[in-house]
Amino acid sequence: MNITELAEGVIAGDRRMLARAITLVESRRKDHRRDAAELLGLLAASGRQALRIGLSGTPGVGKSTFIESFGMMLTGQGLRVAVLAVDPSSARSGGSILGDKTRMDRLSRAPGAFIRPSPSQSQLGGVARRTRDAVTVCEAAGFDVVLIETVGVGQSETMVAQMSDIFLLLLAPAGGDELQGVKRGIMEIADMILINKADGELKSAAQRTCADYAGALRLLRKRPQDPEGYPRALTVSAMEERGLNEVWDQIGRLVEWRRANGHWDRTRRQQATSWFHDEVRVGVLARLDEDPQIQAAMTDLAEQVGRGTLAVSAAAERILDRLRRGG
Ligand code: GDP
């Protein structure tokens, strides 16, 4: 496959090319990694940006229902929407919580929508990095909105927040008065908390839960990237498609304020910088793991360290020296 043609196809909005490009950036094969790097370089020249919206929530809270309703609303307005996922379970077991095909049936058939399940990789960090590349591909393909879904388990949420402009936390109405054990750290990275299932019998519970979270959000330290009165908590019903316009309006307001106040560009720059550091770090670690000579030296030195005939720091220094010398 000619990489220049692939890049041109993606930028021209060709679906098949888009799917192929994402398959390429998700691949771990060494030759594919080289091609992927070339492709991503060519795609960067498009200069296109999408609004990246991260969405997290525990299984059953209504993520797929929300994405389907919200995505249908956006495509109904003529916007092009891509849906990607970072699924930590695909890293652990090769199976997937987020990937089953019956989800988002309507949206998957909507013109202007593109849905891609989570890449399956052996490590969560790998899943997240490949999704980040897929976001870049979707931006170059001219999508207006890229939704990145993840399951609410600590680290994957932080990773998704790191690649999003807006991070939404989806919660279910609480039974009692507990704040559902949502970790403070997750609340601190949320740009908006949405209490889903605010319909039927659950409506008043949803409103109470929403008020609780609105109160909790007010107690958090104010972040520079938020205008007065943000982050907010809202109730929605993904099933009955209620409150979704309000969510979109609020996102629009936040984005506008952040753009006007320099936060949008600053955050994107910071994200790109930390992504770069991450890639370099991972690359260096991969060299340690993949180089058979270094591996042999590690085994040998580890044995000496274990016997107590060599100091740990001296042994480590020998390996680092090899890396500095290039192998
Ligand atoms: P996910 O695991 O987070 O993707 O959750 P799903 O979207 O698969 O939804 C889990 C269950 O909650 C399904 O039975 C949905 O029909 C239901 N559900 C989702 N959204 C709503 C909602 O707004 N109201 C109500 N009452 N049920 C909902």
Side-chain angles (χ1 to χ4, degrees):
M1 179 76 203
N2 180 316
I3 300 300
T4 309
E5 277 171 26
L6 186 57
E8 284 167 0
V10 168
I11 292 171
D14 182 316
R15 289 289 181 124
R16 259 191 29 241
M17 296 291 205
L18 172 63
R20 282 175 88 158
I22 294 183
T23 304
L24 178 64
V25 300
E26 283 176 354
S27 172
R28 270 173 298 185
R29 260 176 54 183
K30 226 174 185 165
D31 53 332
H32 287 171
R33 299 300 321 144
R34 263 196 306 276
D35 286 350
E38 187 187 341
L39 174 72
L40 290 163
L42 293 171
L43 292 179
S46 82
R48 287 172 172 162
Q49 277 192 349
L51 174 59
R52 307 172 182 172
I53 302 176
L55 176 77
S56 127
T58 48
V61 72
K63 289 181 298 302
S64 351
T65 314
F66 177 83
I67 290 173
E68 171 135 286
S69 300
F70 195 64
M72 289 303 287
M73 180 186 82
L74 298 180
T75 53
Q77 294 176 13
L79 295 170
R80 297 180 63 212
V81 178
V83 180
L84 306 171
V86 172
D87 184 352
S89 67
S90 78
R92 274 201 301 272
S93 62
S96 144
I97 301 175
L98 299 175
D100 80 69
K101 294 271 186 310
T102 56
R103 299 165 80 245
M104 305 176 216
D105 193 38
R106 272 191 308 150
L107 188 61
S108 64
R109 283 181 280 115
F114 174 81
I115 300 178
R116 181 87 181 183
S118 177
S120 52
Q121 302 244 326
S122 54
Q123 292 172 334
L124 181 56
V127 176
R129 283 203 312 287
R130 302 303 53 109
T131 302
R132 219 153 31 179
D133 285 335
V135 171
T136 308
V137 175
C138 290
E139 290 199 302
F143 285 95
D144 302 291
V145 177
V146 179
L147 282 163
I148 312 148
E149 176 188 13
T150 195
V151 177
V153 283
Q155 220 194 344
S156 73
E157 291 173 309
T158 315
M159 287 172 173
V160 168
Q162 264 292 317
M163 59 181 99
S164 306
D165 302 308
I166 297 286
F167 186 68
L168 307 176
L169 178 61
L170 202 61
L171 298 174
D177 54 2
E178 83 282 18
L179 285 187
Q180 296 177 52
V182 173
K183 300 231 165 50
R184 189 193 167 98
I186 299 303
M187 287 191 55
E188 282 172 346
I189 58 173
D191 292 308
M192 212 177 288
I193 291 184
L194 306 179
I195 315 299
N196 190 31
K197 309 195 183 185
D199 50 50
E201 288 177 351
L202 291 169
K203 192 165 181 175
S204 55
Q207 283 163 345
R208 275 198 308 277
T209 307
C210 186
D212 287 347
Y213 277 99
L217 285 172
R218 279 195 290 275
L219 296 178
L220 294 179
R221 191 176 36 205
K222 186 155 167 32
R223 308 180 303 180
Q225 70 269 34
D226 292 329
E228 206 45 52
Y230 288 80
R232 298 206 163 160
L234 299 174
T235 56
V236 295
S237 167
M239 198 174 68
E240 295 186 352
E241 303 182 10
R242 285 176 203 268
L244 306 179
N245 265 313
E246 174 69 6
V247 172
W248 185 234
D249 277 359
Q250 291 290 343
I251 290 175
R253 262 178 240 176
L254 252 184
V255 167
E256 207 176 303
W257 190 87
R258 287 181 182 172
R259 278 190 191 279
N261 290 278
H263 293 290
W264 174 280
D265 287 335
R266 192 172 310 137
T267 305
R268 283 252 172 160
R269 271 200 304 274
Q270 278 167 357
Q271 288 178 342
T273 310
S274 88
W275 180 2
F276 162 66
H277 286 155
D278 194 36
E279 287 281 330
V280 172
R281 238 176 251 129
V282 169
V284 170
L285 287 177
R287 267 197 48 205
L288 277 182
D289 290 340
E290 286 160 10
D291 185 323
Q293 287 184 343
I294 292 185
Q295 279 301 308
M298 292 266 277
T299 309
D300 179 40
L301 290 168
E303 207 184 316
Q304 296 183 49
V305 165
R307 279 204 309 271
T309 54
L310 182 65
V312 168
S313 53
E317 202 47 51
R318 283 193 207 171
I319 295 294
L320 297 177
D321 231 22
R322 286 185 91 117
L323 275 181
R324 277 183 215 112
R325 283 186 278 114

